[in-house]
Amino acid sequence: MLKRKIEAELLSWKNRPDRKPLIVKGCRQCGKTSSVLEFAKQNYENVVYLNFFENPNYAAAFSGSLEIDHIVMMLSVLLGADAKFAAGKTVLILDEIQDCPDARTALKFFKLDGRYDVIGTGSLLGVKGYGKEPKSVPVGYETVIDMYPLDFEEFLWANSISQDIIQVLLRCMKERMPVPEALHMRMRELLLQYAVVGGMPDVVQTFVNTKRMDIVLQMQRDIVRSYEDDMVKYAALADKGKIKECFQSIPKQLSKENKKFQYSVIKKKGTSAQYEGSLQWIEDAGIISRCYNLTALELPLAGNAEESQFKVYMCDCGLFASMLEDGTQLDILEGNLFTYKGAVFENLIADIWGKRGKKLYYYRKDSGLEIDFVIRYEGECVPVEIKAKNGNIKSTKTILNHPEKYHVYRAIKLGDYNVGDDERIITLPLYMAFLI
């Protein structure tokens, strides 16, 4: 069983005396069900499990009165001996809750009743066109947390990198001292493996068990196809084709020198009016994340974001790599990516930070200035460049040389090298991005 960070979040939720019903949101196949079930089995005497996608008939228990005793009675009829309810000792798991809007509405009444804990999971909650909206969203009566595929740190755990080793890396970063060579080489190797494997739990487990990249690639492409099937199955009729076109354009969008998302790349003469809703659908499904251009290199970053100018990255770097042509995985592992290296490693960093819930920003001006990412670091606005060894950081140096104009005093360079520091530019290996 893979160790997941959500385990600590679930335990923290259970330990709150005033806890509300919990909703765990996340893209399909990111491990929501297995994590919630494992947690429930370890922390409750009784686990009542409903999957509304596999068993639509379970919705009948919520179709009439939402009084809790009535719901419990109906579930006892539907589930028989599998439904054991005891106050304070039972958790009700409502899997794929978006397929039963009345169950979402009932969360308010479970909170007011207080006898049973409830955890709902959902893959397409709030996605436009899904067609199953609750009569009343229980605002104020539920807690919502986002779950992602395994992040890089969880991938390290799966590959036997202990917390003690991670602490060594953290100390090296904080003290600006080189990582010991053997550990440095192992971390470089693991980062490249993560770039092609990504964090889908079944994919990671298969990689750890077999190291078979052919099986990994097939599993990833099956997941991508299942996402495309969702777009066709669940989106509004008028949007189905456009959503799929948007999704399939992502590798081409990132192959451009200017990686800004352009609707005309989806289809010649394509416009925001035609495709913005389709792009939003994919983002709401947890498949992509946006990285917004900044109007100024100043905090707060969100206040300076230009909503109409953005780049789009896949939330999972492994799925992104699987969308490229055959042989790309080997090229990544060997570092032979040529002009496409920037796209792969930018998406890798977007994955690492996005799965930690960080909003993504970059800076690009018509004058030619371009910074891959901009972050808040130790209370400052800090540019981050993703570069190959000895890569050019002309834009960063221009910004640092004009502090009176840009109000930027430090920058970070991430690339294929060890830790270094020249006062203004902090040089870090790419694999340390998860520690920043």
Side-chain angles (χ1 to χ4, degrees), residues 398-413:
T398 297
I399 289 168
L400 289 174
N401 288 336
H402 295 86
E404 74 289 344
K405 180 178 180 180
Y406 296 103
H407 310 293
V408 169
Y409 308 98
R410 288 192 298 172
I412 295 173
K413 182 171 67 169

Side-chain angles (χ1 to χ4, degrees), residues 159-330:
N159 284 277
S160 303
I161 299 297
S162 69
Q163 205 60 41
D164 288 341
I165 293 175
I166 292 173
Q167 286 301 312
V168 171
L169 296 174
L170 185 60
R171 187 169 66 252
C172 289
M173 186 185 80
K174 287 183 175 179
E175 298 179 7
R176 306 287 189 260
M177 62 183 189
V179 178
E181 188 63 17
L183 177 56
H184 177 62
M185 297 305 292
R186 176 60 175 148
M187 291 300 300
R188 289 177 69 245
E189 179 183 50
L190 285 167
L191 183 78
L192 293 175
Q193 290 174 358
Y194 180 71
V196 298
V197 174
M200 288 298 176
D202 289 346
V203 175
V204 173
Q205 192 66 70
T206 297
F207 172 75
V208 170
N209 292 344
T210 70
K211 299 298 189 290
R212 288 279 303 274
M213 288 308 304
D214 56 330
I215 301 176
V216 164
L217 180 60
Q218 186 58 55
M219 293 176 73
Q220 290 168 328
R221 288 181 171 170
D222 287 345
I223 292 171
V224 170
R225 275 192 290 271
S226 74
Y227 285 173
E228 293 176 341
D229 289 345
D230 281 348
M231 295 168 195
V232 172
K233 183 176 181 180
Y234 296 117
L237 182 62
D239 296 331
K240 294 179 186 293
K242 290 187 289 187
I243 292 172
K244 198 169 179 179
E245 287 175 335
C246 258
F247 178 62
Q248 292 175 342
S249 81
I250 292 172
K252 194 183 299 183
Q253 301 279 357
L254 291 175
S255 71
K256 301 185 282 88
E257 183 177 353
N258 175 5
K259 298 178 178 63
K260 172 187 168 185
F261 191 89
Q262 296 175 315
Y263 296 102
S264 59
V265 171
I266 303 172
K267 182 177 285 188
K268 192 174 181 179
K269 297 183 180 180
T271 65
S272 170
Q274 291 175 296
Y275 288 104
E276 170 57 28
S278 301
L279 190 66
Q280 188 64 53
W281 194 100
I282 305 169
E283 185 176 22
D284 290 343
I287 299 170
I288 62 169
S289 58
R290 300 193 205 203
C291 179
Y292 290 98
N293 194 12
L294 295 173
T295 57
L297 290 170
E298 297 175 358
L299 300 178
L301 299 177
N304 291 297
E306 178 58 61
E307 294 293 318
S308 63
Q309 295 183 22
F310 53 86
K311 296 184 282 189
V312 167
Y313 296 108
M314 288 287 290
C315 287
D316 188 77
C317 57
L319 294 186
F320 172 63
S322 78
M323 294 172 70
L324 307 176
E325 68 272 11
D326 290 347
T328 301
Q329 285 71 23
L330 180 60

Side-chain angles (χ1 to χ4, degrees), residues 51 64 80 85 91 134 176 184 208 218 253 273 331 340-341 430:
N51 186 314
F85 289 88
V91 61
R176 306 287 189 260
H184 177 62
V208 170
Q218 186 58 55
Q253 301 279 357
D331 288 337
Y340 210 80
K341 183 180 291 186
L430 277 164

Side-chain angles (χ1 to χ4, degrees), residues 52 58-60 62 96-105 132 134:
F52 294 114
Y58 289 158
F62 301 86
E96 302 295 356
I97 195 172
Q98 74 276 355
D99 283 306
C100 183
D102 290 333
R104 181 84 181 274
T105 301
K132 296 185 177 182

Side-chain angles (χ1 to χ4, degrees), residues 4 25-32 147-150 199-201:
R4 303 300 306 273
K25 289 176 59 180
C27 64
R28 287 200 187 278
Q29 303 186 50
C30 71
K32 298 183 299 297
M147 184 174 179
Y148 304 93
L150 276 80
M200 288 298 176

